[in-house]
Amino acid sequence: MTDQTTAPARLSTLDSLEAEGIHIIREAVGTARKPVLLFSGGKDSVVVLHLATKAFWPGKVPFELLHVDTGHNFDEVLEFRDRTVERLGLRLQVAKVQDYIDDGRLRERPDGTRNPLQTVPLLDGIAEHKYDVVFGGARRDEEKARAKERVVSLRDEFGAWDPRNQRPELWNLYNPRHLPGQHVRVFPLSNWTELDVWRYIERENIELPSLYYAHERDVFQRDGMWLTPHHSVRVRDTDQIVKRTVRYRTVGDASCTGAVESPAITVSDVIAEVASTRITERGATRADDRLSEAAMEDRKKEGYF
Amino acid sequence: MTAAPESVTTTDDASDASAVPDTTRTSLLRFATAGSVDDGKSTLVGRLLHDTKSILADAYEAVERVSRERGSEEVDLALLTDGLRAEREQGITIDVAYRYFSTPRRTFILADCPGHVQYTRNTVTGASTADALVVLIDARYGVVEQTKRHLAVAALLRVPHVIVAVNKIDLLDYAQGPYRSIAQHVQSHAESLGLPNVITVPVSALNGDNVATRSESTPWYEGPTVLEILETVPSIDQGADEFAAAHRHGVAHPTAADAEAAASGWRFPVQLVLRPQDAAVAEEFREYRGYAGQVAEGTVRVGDEVVVQPSGKRTTVAGIDTATGPLEAAHTGQSVAIRLADEIDIARGDLLSSAEDATSASKKFHAHVAWLTDRPLRVRDRVLVQHGSATVQAMVASIDGILDISLPGGTLDSSIKPGHELLLNDIGVVTLQLAQPLAVEDYGKHRRTGAFCLVDPQDGNTLAAGTARAHVPGTGEDTYVSI
Ligand SMILES: Nc1nc2c(ncn2[C@@H]2O[C@H](COP(=O)(O)OP(=O)(O)OP(=O)(O)O)[C@@H](O)[C@H]2O)c(=O)[nH]1
Ligand SMILES: [Mg+2]
């Protein structure tokens, strides 16, 4: 860190965003009975975790992590997730979509994607562990329904978000109060853009799963995206498998998360690429958001992230 | 040929990454929109995003497609922020949409707020964090009741910069006359509300005139575009510091308010006590004890004398810590941990301040509140006051008046009519009696420590936005009853 006595008093955008994120995390923990961070190993949840390590330093992060595992995750990401949890000495709870499918509580969808199936294990996990404050890495710039959500967002007994009846959120006075059975979702990165996240990753030298950087991989085209052969994807005879240099802009369910062709090997390559891209992050890589005009809003109303 | 999956490095117009502002350096401005329903707020926001090339291709195509499906020939730019199903069905904004964009000069967080009176609570939400408020007026109708309500909200919240965009001038053939008379009306109304330096701009959000580019259709207007104004006004957190920095270089023309802000002390609400013990990241920090928070105002320096409220105890700053190393000083907006020289009983909710220009705590204060909930507020109602990191029980001691926005030339102080209850969207003057003392300060002088909200003790809902007043005219009483 630079010598603050000579540094200019004004905070840069990244400094402001970092300070705001830390403030939000501390505020939520200050009022929570049992907080938890939804941690997938994706870049946004990694950044939230990084902010949390700063917020409570020189103490450890004082909450558990929860991952909703679709069973369709990339091995590299799961390995990274476990290594990160181990490094920080934290406790990880995993809610498995596969368990729900095995015992019939959930059924596989015809299109094979499991992203929408995460809601039930997520809500069960929250109820089972009695979490009252649930941190997530969602950003308002990701999607038009997310653009409408409060930093501290109330969820009812069914985990549902009511976009037409949100509480006022005034200044930086966040209100996490809720009745028994309800909980709040807290989004410390609400005001960050994809580019802010990458610049911060660069500045703070934050490690990410290797999938985020360019690598050579077997891929095939589906719905205008590059998918990779994975146990979760039914590769058809007509699918032409080719080798391409790709990277992932988001890491999620391998059956519906697409890679993009990219030569970006380093963080600064990625920053240059994100800065000049003309396609949104989810538009480029998420089939589940293409289901309908209000796909995200509908999922959020049901209790999704 | 089938469309190839998107490769992210295809466009040439954007390949010059150096033209993209470096957010590690540029400053941040938060602004919000306001104004009556259908005056063109979302269209203006869409226009700003469009003209600053902040809309990515797929998002634009989606908006184009939806516009087409509705039988409209033009792309409805309002759809960029009206993202909820109900908003698109009704063609109105219901809740605030936050969007992010940048120009080479600045990064912006914009809050597109609803105009409908029913959703005033959401407009107050969007305006509460704004450094600047862009109030839209339909040039055909001029200043209407909702314009006045939103200007009153701007005055209540003391949004530092108010820009009034007189919109839809294309429908009046870009004539100068109507703009001039509306601008005059706005100025006199704003002045009486105590809103200084309101800037008016004639615009067509639909066609982009004077939004991001100067219009050829308004040769009679020589002022800046909306974007130029937004790129140059100082932001709240940076105002004082920026003033100080500019002043050192001899370029600023300080106003009295600037000088006061630059000279005042600091404020630091304690969010958490950091005592890691067994959970320390390293053995050497087992016995660490620091107070975590964000500097609400001013600059904290090691060695500063400190007053803790509400206890009134005194000590000094022994150290300022962050995870990446100690600091000599922490400025407005920074999240840090402060170590103190003496072991004093301090908990979440306490407020540290500089001994110079210190705070004092009291159990009673006057405030303006914007009442944002359906049921009325009455005398003797029990509420929670959320202030900084503190929450205390309170009772409404009296309702001292209600702002009558219909009065011509009304001010937040003079246009107060008597009343016994506050109804939805009323702005009123109230006196609150607290169960425990709080260091509430005058909002006009101390934004962070003058702001509070009222919360329902039963269901936890947020009921009102409040700004504390040092003195209420007519009551002959000072705000703070010392304990
Ligand atoms: N002719 C003309 N029409 C405009 C202009 N700006 C907005 N409109 C139209 O006015 C209507 C309302 O625009 P919106 O941008 O949705 O208004 P709003 O202020 O956001 O409305 P609420 O958020 O619901 O309060 C739309 O039909 C716009 O196309 C303008 O400059 N000229
Ligand atoms: Mg609108």
Side-chain angles (χ1 to χ4, degrees), chain A residues 148, chain B residues 33 36-43 45 78 81-82 87 91-95 112-116:
Chain A
K148 296 269 164 183
Chain B
T33 60
S36 191
V37 68
D38 275 352
D39 282 358
K41 298 173 290 297
S42 301
T43 308
V45 157
T81 53
D82 289 339
E87 292 178 324
I92 60 162
T93 306
I94 292 173
D95 210 331
D112 182 31
C113 299
H116 199 289

Side-chain angles (χ1 to χ4, degrees), chain B residues 224-364:
Chain B
T225 63
V226 173
L227 183 62
E228 281 169 340
I229 300 167
L230 294 170
E231 281 183 320
T232 48
V233 295
S235 62
I236 297 169
D237 284 349
Q238 285 152 359
D241 293 335
E242 210 152 83
F243 159 78
H247 194 56
R248 274 198 295 280
H249 298 111
V251 294
H253 301 286
T255 63
D258 286 337
E260 186 177 72
S264 66
W266 53 262
R267 306 286 183 261
F268 186 87
V270 174
Q271 291 186 277
L272 297 167
V273 181
L274 299 177
R275 288 186 62 210
Q277 300 180 317
D278 287 347
V281 293
E283 195 53 32
E284 58 184 298
F285 297 115
R286 273 191 72 89
E287 300 308 318
Y288 182 91
R289 186 191 185 97
Y291 302 97
Q294 186 176 27
V295 182
E297 181 186 318
T299 298
V300 188
R301 288 175 208 283
V302 176
D304 279 359
E305 210 183 320
V306 179
V307 173
V308 184
Q309 293 295 2
S311 71
K313 297 227 166 72
R314 287 176 174 251
T315 177
T316 50
V317 175
I320 303 172
D321 297 320
T322 71
T324 43
L327 306 177
E328 272 305 306
H331 306 284
T332 309
Q334 274 185 296
S335 284
V336 297
I338 291 181
R339 270 178 292 118
L340 297 173
D342 304 285
E343 280 221 0
I344 300 179
D345 180 15
I346 295 173
R348 173 177 161 77
D350 286 353
L351 181 71
L352 309 185
S353 79
S354 48
E356 201 181 320
D357 185 28
T359 57
S360 60
S362 76
K363 287 178 91 169
K364 195 175 185 185

Side-chain angles (χ1 to χ4, degrees), chain A residues 164-227:
Chain A
R164 300 198 55 182
N165 200 16
Q166 300 192 85
R167 281 177 182 167
E169 188 161 81
L170 304 158
W171 296 284
N172 62 350
L173 301 171
Y174 302 105
N175 179 0
R177 278 174 206 80
H178 56 273
L179 298 173
Q182 300 178 333
H183 68 274
V184 290
R185 303 276 171 95
V186 178
F187 304 109
L189 306 186
S190 285
N191 289 324
W192 297 47
T193 63
E194 184 185 14
L195 195 54
D196 293 327
V197 168
W198 278 107
R199 285 200 197 283
Y200 189 70
I201 286 164
E202 178 180 55
R203 189 182 89 174
E204 302 286 306
N205 208 359
I206 297 172
E207 191 196 343
L208 290 184
S210 54
L211 287 177
Y212 280 109
Y213 302 103
H215 54 284
E216 202 167 76
R217 174 181 285 273
D218 284 342
V219 287
F220 63 95
Q221 282 187 34
R222 185 167 298 167
D223 304 329
M225 295 191 309
W226 289 118
L227 293 187

Side-chain angles (χ1 to χ4, degrees), chain A residues 254-273:
Chain A
S255 71
C256 68
T257 303
V260 291
E261 273 193 89
S262 162
I265 304 169
T266 64
V267 189
S268 63
D269 294 345
V270 173
I271 289 171
E273 184 180 285

Side-chain angles (χ1 to χ4, degrees), chain A residues 1-5 7-20 22-31 53-61 140-141 144-145 147-150 154 161 163-179 182 190-196 199 202-204 221-222 224-226 247 249 259-263 271-273 275-284 292-295 297-298 301, chain B residues 2-9 11 14-15 17 20-28 30 53 55-59 66 70 81-88 90 93-98 100 107 109 119 121-122 124-125 128-129 157 238 241-242 271-272 274 276 279-281 285 288 292-294 321-324 327-329 331-337 348 372 384 386-389 391 443 447-448 451-453 455 458-462 464-467:
Chain A
M1 181 147 259
T2 53
D3 176 6
Q4 293 289 327
T5 47
R10 76 194 297 185
L11 301 187
S12 71
T13 300
L14 270 192
D15 291 331
S16 304
L17 291 172
E18 180 192 63
E20 178 182 82
I22 290 174
H23 175 258
I24 292 165
I25 293 170
R26 286 172 169 171
E27 222 26 44
V29 166
T31 54
T53 61
K54 289 193 157 195
F56 303 103
W57 184 92
K60 278 198 246 177
V61 173
R140 285 168 173 160
D141 90 320
K144 60 187 183 302
K148 296 269 164 183
E149 192 160 13
R150 302 282 188 257
L154 185 67
W161 176 55
R164 300 198 55 182
N165 200 16
Q166 300 192 85
R167 281 177 182 167
E169 188 161 81
L170 304 158
W171 296 284
N172 62 350
L173 301 171
Y174 302 105
N175 179 0
R177 278 174 206 80
H178 56 273
L179 298 173
Q182 300 178 333
S190 285
N191 289 324
W192 297 47
T193 63
E194 184 185 14
L195 195 54
D196 293 327
R199 285 200 197 283
E202 178 180 55
R203 189 182 89 174
E204 302 286 306
Q221 282 187 34
R222 185 167 298 167
M225 295 191 309
W226 289 118
R247 68 173 202 90
R249 277 175 85 181
V260 291
E261 273 193 89
S262 162
I271 289 171
E273 184 180 285
S276 61
T277 183
R278 302 308 300 155
I279 302 291
T280 62
E281 181 181 64
R282 299 192 79 90
S292 82
E293 200 193 320
E297 181 181 341
D298 293 344
K301 282 180 184 161
Chain B
T2 55
E6 196 58 38
S7 142
V8 288
T9 48
T11 51
S15 60
V20 173
D22 179 355
T23 47
T24 53
R25 255 173 240 130
T26 55
S27 71
L28 185 63
R30 299 175 195 244
K53 306 205 167 26
I55 308 166
L56 299 186
D58 57 324
V66 175
R70 291 160 187 230
T81 53
D82 289 339
L84 296 176
R85 190 196 295 276
E87 292 178 324
R88 291 177 168 213
Q90 298 171 50
T93 306
I94 292 173
D95 210 331
V96 191
Y98 294 90
Y100 307 83
T107 322
I109 297 180
Y119 305 117
R121 63 174 189 277
N122 298 334
V124 176
T125 291
S128 70
T129 51
L157 299 173
Q238 285 152 359
D241 293 335
E242 210 152 83
Q271 291 186 277
L272 297 167
L274 299 177
V281 293
F285 297 115
Y288 182 91
Q294 186 176 27
D321 297 320
T322 71
T324 43
L327 306 177
E328 272 305 306
H331 306 284
T332 309
Q334 274 185 296
S335 284
V336 297
R348 173 177 161 77
L372 304 175
L384 297 174
Q386 188 175 343
H387 172 255
S389 51
T391 301
Y443 183 79
R447 207 180 152 83
R448 288 281 174 235
F452 65 93
C453 54
V455 173
Q458 279 167 41
D459 63 15
N461 282 328
T462 308
T467 59

